[in-house]
Amino acid sequence: MLFIKRLLSAAGLVNDQQVDHSIACISTTRPIYLVFGHGSDYPAYVIRKMNDNHAFHTHRVHNHLYQLAGNQVPEPIGVYEYAGEKYDVQRGVKGAPWFQIKSKIRTEDARVSLEKRLWQTLTDFHYAIAGDGAHKTSDLQPHEELRQAYSEYKNTEQTVNVELEKAVKFAISNLSQMPGCSAIPQHGDFCLNNLIIDTNHITVIDFEDFFITTMPMYDHFTLALSLPSCEPEPASAAKICNQDSIINMAGILGISRTAIKWHFLHHLLLRLGPWSVGDKRKPYRTWLIQVLECFLADEGNVSVNGHLF
């Protein structure tokens, strides 16, 4: 990966005489290069190849979020060209990804402490971007958001689920009788895998799905489903609406206890739309389908005004 060192040298980010940088590559949908200085346990730079329009869009989003949120997100340095290819260069941040530190969370107190920090990080991130004029939107109608998510889901799944159809119909009717709520731009994939965790600070990364929706609670469900306290069994995950953290946040956002489960249904349907199509997210999509089935089974046991949902 000598070309990465040459790229950094051409960009004026390292001195030609510096030969002590090591480089690691993470293979995802597009390669991510981590450039480490001598003796450092976190990267000095994070470099992504920009191979399509969405990559350029994500770079612009990241720049804007940095202006709003500061060190809550990595510092973007710029786009540089080398050998006819363009690369997005960001400053590395201190800390480690979840897969490197999860084995260190060995006690219940440590887990609870970490999860409190993660929830606070999400609150701080949303607060930082709440007043953004570029994404300022009026109050939204949750029942219309649910209707749209279900439409996208049907276009993707192309199978008829009678129980789901009934649940969505009832949920839309139920939500339409409730007040609207404030639209909040969502990160889109606010989960453990997109957080860099340090002793005193947590940094939010990966903005490819930013603004996927402005439906409040979407990011909260994403985070909740990724936490150590969330049991991996679909039947347990389907009951995430009963978590104290979810209930408390819904209250802060002005979302009624009754509406929480319909926000969760919106979350599941939006995730099961185009977002999870393809081999990259196939295992997660399979799990989400199981969670949805368990959610429907739970709701099917509740009779409301003579309806089976």
Side-chain angles (χ1 to χ4, degrees), residues 30-33 46-50 86-88 90:
R30 55 177 174 145
I32 300 175
Y33 302 94
V46 178
I47 303 174
R48 292 174 173 84
K49 185 177 180 180
M50 306 184 75
K86 288 186 170 62
Y87 297 87
D88 175 12
Q90 304 171 13

Side-chain angles (χ1 to χ4, degrees), residues 115 118-119 122 190-192 217-231 237 239-241 243 245-246 264 267 284 287:
E115 292 194 3
L118 296 171
W119 285 117
L122 176 55
F190 199 102
C191 63
L192 272 174
M217 300 296 293
Y218 184 88
D219 281 349
H220 294 85
F221 289 125
T222 307
L223 177 59
L225 291 173
S226 75
L227 293 178
S229 58
C230 179
E231 296 292 334
K239 296 179 174 63
I240 205 76
C241 297
Q243 263 196 8
S245 53
I246 292 293
F264 184 49
H267 171 92
Y284 189 63
W287 182 76

Side-chain angles (χ1 to χ4, degrees), residues 256-272:
S256 72
R257 183 75 177 265
T258 304
I260 295 175
K261 62 185 177 182
W262 304 137
H263 280 253
F264 184 49
L265 179 58
H266 167 271
H267 171 92
L268 292 174
L269 292 176
L270 196 57
R271 299 287 265 190
L272 286 168

Side-chain angles (χ1 to χ4, degrees), residues 5-291:
K5 292 186 178 181
R6 289 174 176 169
L7 163 67
L8 291 172
S9 178
L13 298 175
V14 297
N15 189 295
D16 285 333
Q17 302 304 314
Q18 292 177 307
V19 294
D20 56 351
H21 285 83
S22 60
I23 301 171
C25 179
I26 302 174
S27 295
T28 60
T29 50
R30 55 177 174 145
I32 300 175
Y33 302 94
L34 309 178
V35 182
F36 293 86
H38 179 68
S40 177
D41 58 357
Y42 67 94
Y45 301 107
V46 178
I47 303 174
R48 292 174 173 84
K49 185 177 180 180
M50 306 184 75
N51 49 12
D52 56 28
N53 289 333
H54 186 63
F56 284 91
H57 169 74
T58 301
H59 171 76
R60 291 191 293 270
V61 167
H62 183 188
N63 276 332
H64 189 64
L65 290 177
Y66 184 73
Q67 295 174 17
L68 297 171
N71 73 347
Q72 292 184 45
V73 305
E75 178 187 355
I77 296 177
V79 175
Y80 297 89
E81 185 171 348
Y82 181 79
E85 301 285 357
K86 288 186 170 62
Y87 297 87
D88 175 12
V89 181
Q90 304 171 13
R91 188 82 61 189
V93 297
K94 191 175 182 181
W98 171 244
F99 72 86
Q100 289 184 348
I101 68 170
K102 61 182 179 181
S103 62
K104 300 177 183 178
I105 309 300
R106 297 171 181 169
T107 67
E108 182 66 9
D109 286 346
R111 179 195 64 76
V112 171
S113 177
L114 174 62
E115 292 194 3
K116 285 182 179 178
R117 293 180 61 205
L118 296 171
W119 285 117
Q120 187 60 51
T121 299
L122 176 55
T123 298
D124 293 343
F125 179 76
H126 278 177
Y127 180 80
I129 65 177
D132 179 16
H135 294 119
K136 196 73 174 179
T137 55
S138 58
D139 289 351
L140 97 178
Q141 300 299 319
H143 68 286
E144 293 297 344
E145 297 296 315
L146 177 57
R147 192 194 310 276
Q148 179 62 32
Y150 184 48
S151 175
E152 293 178 5
Y153 166 81
K154 287 194 296 184
N155 289 338
T156 302
E157 190 65 22
Q158 298 180 339
T159 57
V160 177
N161 183 322
V162 176
E163 300 305 310
L164 176 59
E165 185 81 26
K166 291 189 332 188
V168 171
K169 183 177 180 180
F170 181 78
I172 289 174
S173 175
N174 196 206
L175 286 172
S176 67
Q177 300 172 40
M178 299 180 185
C181 54
S182 298
I184 304 173
Q186 302 291 292
H187 174 280
D189 198 15
F190 199 102
C191 63
L192 272 174
N193 290 337
N194 287 327
L195 299 170
I196 303 298
I197 303 168
D198 191 32
T199 305
N200 299 312
H201 186 71
I202 297 176
T203 307
V204 185
I205 63 172
D206 191 351
F207 308 105
E208 292 189 3
D209 296 312
F210 182 75
F211 213 65
I212 190 174
T213 182
T214 59
M215 183 80 146
M217 300 296 293
Y218 184 88
D219 281 349
H220 294 85
F221 289 125
T222 307
L223 177 59
L225 291 173
S226 75
L227 293 178
S229 58
C230 179
E231 296 292 334
E233 290 80 8
S236 297
K239 296 179 174 63
I240 205 76
C241 297
N242 298 324
Q243 263 196 8
D244 288 343
S245 53
I246 292 293
I247 294 171
N248 292 339
M249 183 50 62
I252 292 172
L253 294 172
I255 297 169
S256 72
R257 183 75 177 265
T258 304
I260 295 175
K261 62 185 177 182
W262 304 137
H263 280 253
F264 184 49
L265 179 58
H266 167 271
H267 171 92
L268 292 174
L269 292 176
L270 196 57
R271 299 287 265 190
L272 286 168
W275 181 85
S276 60
V277 171
D279 292 338
K280 175 186 174 183
R281 291 173 173 146
K282 187 175 181 179
Y284 189 63
R285 181 182 181 86
T286 299
W287 182 76
L288 283 176
I289 290 173
Q290 295 172 344
V291 174

